[in-house]
Amino acid sequence: MPRLIPESPTFATTSEQAVWERLRAGLGTDDVLIANLRLTDERKDHEIDLVVLMPDVGIVALEVKGGSVWWDDGWRIMRRGHEATIHPVDQARDGKYALREYVERDERWGSRTRVAWSHAVVTPYSEFGSDFALPDLPRWALHDKGDQDHLVGRLRQNAQRMTHGQRVATVDDVDEIAEILTGRLPTTYDVRAEADQRAEVADRLTLEQATILRVTRLLNRVEVRGGAGSGKTVLALQQAKELTRGLQDRKPQRVALLCYSIGLAEHLKREVASWPRNHRPAFVGTFHAFGKQWGAPDGDRTDSDFWEERLPAEMAELATALPDGHKYDAVIVDEAQDFADSWWTPVLRALRDEEEGGLYVYSDENQRIFARFGRPPVALVPLVLDHNLRNTRQIHESFGPLAPSRMYSRGGDGPAVRFLDAAGEDPLDVADDEVDRLLDGGWDPQHVALLTTGHRHPIQVERTDFHDQDGYWRTYWDDDVFYGHVLGCKGLERRAVVLCLNEDGSRDRARERLYVGMSRATDELVVVGDPLTVRRVAGDDVARRLGIC
């Protein structure tokens, strides 16, 4: 029996099935019989009923015509009681050339020279005289009812007579042609495709959630609370856009969009830069940059007294002295849990109307990873976001007990969260190996981050020394793996994150740092560290969810 492709085809007509069965019974074990081959090229769609590949003999493309077929100044057939014109020779010949061109274009054909291809017409129920012939169809290329008992032998002769000086396909040629015509180039699972789909769904859900802003249209003082992945930053950006361009019943406003961290500020700036000019807020950046536009000084990053006392006091004085045209109708603060008590005074004084001006605060108290914490000294209407739109269900469930309140996952399914026991090893070495594994698994470098909870990764130190802080954070958008610390990554995310727990968890706010780090991954999360540290910091429930016994 020949190699059959497919092994059990379904036929549109009994005539095609009858010819196939006859060939199946008569062809040799090295031959290949392909049924119902469909091929599309630039000219047309081709349907080749049968293709017979015979090593060291030739290849024949067959057009099978059942029922009553005859020639009367053209090919005729009876269909549903009506005479119809058909073109079996054209179909067979066009199919042959389309197959040959398709095979020779395929890179798997390589540098092989052309082999001979032939075509034939088979009429298993109609008879033609032995002297019947047409200029484009010799009698030996037409196989009628009387020829069926010797069909295999006739097809061998058919192929040999139609070589036209080309070489005959070998066994290797036949195997390659069969693979090209019916096989598929191997493909693999693509983690990026899954992530792209989840990101699109998350964007759509976040836009749906943006309807919450309609509720706040008549409110000037609002606090939007939500856990990681709830879309707070997206909503803050959308609100900045809407207030700037003017809502249905409000005129355009002068708006400032603030945050604490340099990385998040860079993200906000990049998003805003893509908007039309009349939608962009008047200011986007960090609290410190907010004051620098009025002349506030720089300070040492290690001088807490400067940040907590001297800078906000000086900014408050500068804001008070601002002319009305340089003040703001509304201020939006993202990741507001990072703001100190003293920072709110200059924020409020920067408003044209300190008592009634717009203040919109987005916060997650469980991401409060600095010792300082201050709340605005004004009443805010609270709104709660309780759906996680960004993280996969597996990631969401892994850090669920660390979230501020019960949240519901809508981020879809993804890979299981993995924990790698690095007890007795340098967790950074284990984390580096895991980054390599993610890249080998198909993730693009720009979608991968390695975040630490303790001392910074040497690559982060190197990049910071080379670029300075602002330049280092701009590398977050480079086409490379990002190396960072959880302290600076709030409001930011990457598709695949290796979280390296390279501290013992004894420092203050270790639980919050773990929560921030785990929630930075949208699609794949790997946690590296000592199981005892996880239990000490997060408790047995989180340890169990990470698969720690």
Side-chain angles (χ1 to χ4, degrees), residues 212-268:
I212 193 173
L213 299 179
R214 298 174 187 171
V215 178
T216 68
R217 262 190 323 164
L218 302 179
L219 301 175
N220 285 352
R221 304 285 170 97
V222 177
E223 180 180 13
V224 180
R225 302 171 185 168
S230 59
K232 299 185 301 298
T233 296
V234 176
L235 289 181
L237 282 162
Q238 184 67 20
Q239 186 163 48
K241 178 189 291 187
E242 293 189 0
L243 291 175
T244 298
R245 71 183 182 184
L247 298 173
Q248 294 177 352
D249 51 356
R250 287 189 177 184
K251 65 181 182 180
Q253 299 186 42
R254 180 174 164 82
V255 178
L257 176 57
L258 309 183
C259 65
Y260 163 74
S261 71
I262 298 173
L264 179 55
E266 181 67 20
H267 167 65
L268 298 175

Side-chain angles (χ1 to χ4, degrees), residues 484-544:
H485 193 281
V486 294
L487 289 176
C489 288
K490 284 183 293 182
L492 302 175
E493 60 193 32
R494 280 216 169 179
R495 292 183 172 182
V497 169
V498 179
L499 177 62
C500 182
L501 310 181
N502 57 339
E503 63 174 352
D504 62 10
S506 60
R507 289 197 299 169
D508 289 343
R509 304 269 168 220
R511 181 182 177 91
E512 287 81 356
R513 284 196 295 277
L514 180 61
Y515 168 52
V516 170
M518 293 176 68
S519 59
R520 295 311 92 198
T522 60
D523 294 87
E524 185 164 359
L525 171 64
V526 182
V527 181
V528 176
D530 188 332
L532 293 178
T533 298
V534 176
R535 289 190 182 280
R536 182 185 306 118
V537 171
D540 290 340
D541 195 3
V542 172
R544 177 181 55 80

Side-chain angles (χ1 to χ4, degrees), residues 254-542:
R254 180 174 164 82
V255 178
L257 176 57
L258 309 183
C259 65
Y260 163 74
S261 71
I262 298 173
L264 179 55
E266 181 67 20
H267 167 65
L268 298 175
K269 291 175 184 176
R270 287 169 180 261
E271 289 294 315
V272 166
S274 66
W275 300 348
R277 289 191 177 277
N278 62 336
H279 293 179
R280 300 176 192 174
F283 176 85
V284 180
T286 63
F287 172 75
H288 182 212
F290 192 52
K292 285 183 70 174
Q293 66 176 333
W294 313 324
D298 287 323
D300 186 338
R301 290 176 58 82
T302 64
D303 184 357
S304 60
D305 183 67
F306 170 79
W307 299 103
E308 308 292 338
E309 303 296 337
R310 300 196 307 275
L311 174 64
E314 186 164 348
M315 284 178 59
E317 292 181 9
L318 292 169
T320 302
L322 285 175
D324 194 59
H326 288 76
K327 291 196 174 188
Y328 297 88
D329 299 300
V331 175
I332 300 169
V333 181
D334 192 22
E335 301 293 350
Q337 73 277 352
D338 292 340
F339 273 40
D341 247 335
S342 55
W343 292 12
W344 293 105
T345 299
V347 168
L348 291 171
R349 290 189 182 177
L351 292 170
R352 287 188 176 124
D353 186 338
E354 190 173 340
E355 298 298 325
E356 300 292 336
L359 182 62
Y360 304 92
V361 172
Y362 291 80
S363 66
D364 176 2
E365 292 191 14
N366 277 40
Q367 292 191 57
R368 181 163 55 93
I369 56 180
F370 299 103
R372 64 173 179 269
F373 178 64
R375 294 192 58 81
V378 295
L380 300 173
V381 177
L383 297 174
V384 177
L385 306 176
D386 59 1
H387 286 84
N388 184 335
L389 311 178
R390 292 281 157 183
N391 307 105
T392 64
R393 177 181 58 81
Q394 288 79 2
I395 295 174
H396 168 82
E397 291 178 352
S398 72
F399 66 72
L402 304 175
S405 60
R406 178 171 176 77
M407 294 185 68
Y408 303 92
S409 175
R410 297 185 69 185
D413 284 312
V417 175
R418 293 183 298 114
F419 177 80
L420 300 182
D421 186 345
E425 301 180 66
D426 185 341
L428 280 180
D429 289 342
V430 179
D432 284 337
D433 290 342
E434 193 56 27
V435 167
D436 291 337
R437 192 201 67 80
L438 290 173
L439 297 176
D440 291 342
W443 287 111
D444 292 324
Q446 65 267 30
H447 293 152
V448 179
L450 190 160
L451 304 181
T452 60
T453 58
H455 58 273
R456 286 156 174 76
H457 193 284
I459 293 180
Q460 179 183 359
V461 175
E462 178 184 307
R463 290 178 179 176
T464 304
D465 290 344
F466 182 80
H467 292 286
D468 74 26
Q469 279 292 327
D470 290 334
Y472 158 72
W473 276 107
R474 283 192 288 272
T475 69
Y476 187 87
W477 288 268
D478 289 348
D479 295 335
D480 201 357
V481 176
F482 179 75
Y483 294 84
H485 193 281
V486 294
L487 289 176
C489 288
K490 284 183 293 182
L492 302 175
E493 60 193 32
R494 280 216 169 179
R495 292 183 172 182
V497 169
V498 179
L499 177 62
C500 182
L501 310 181
N502 57 339
E503 63 174 352
D504 62 10
S506 60
R507 289 197 299 169
D508 289 343
R509 304 269 168 220
R511 181 182 177 91
E512 287 81 356
R513 284 196 295 277
L514 180 61
Y515 168 52
V516 170
M518 293 176 68
S519 59
R520 295 311 92 198
T522 60
D523 294 87
E524 185 164 359
L525 171 64
V526 182
V527 181
V528 176
D530 188 332
L532 293 178
T533 298
V534 176
R535 289 190 182 280
R536 182 185 306 118
V537 171
D540 290 340
D541 195 3
V542 172

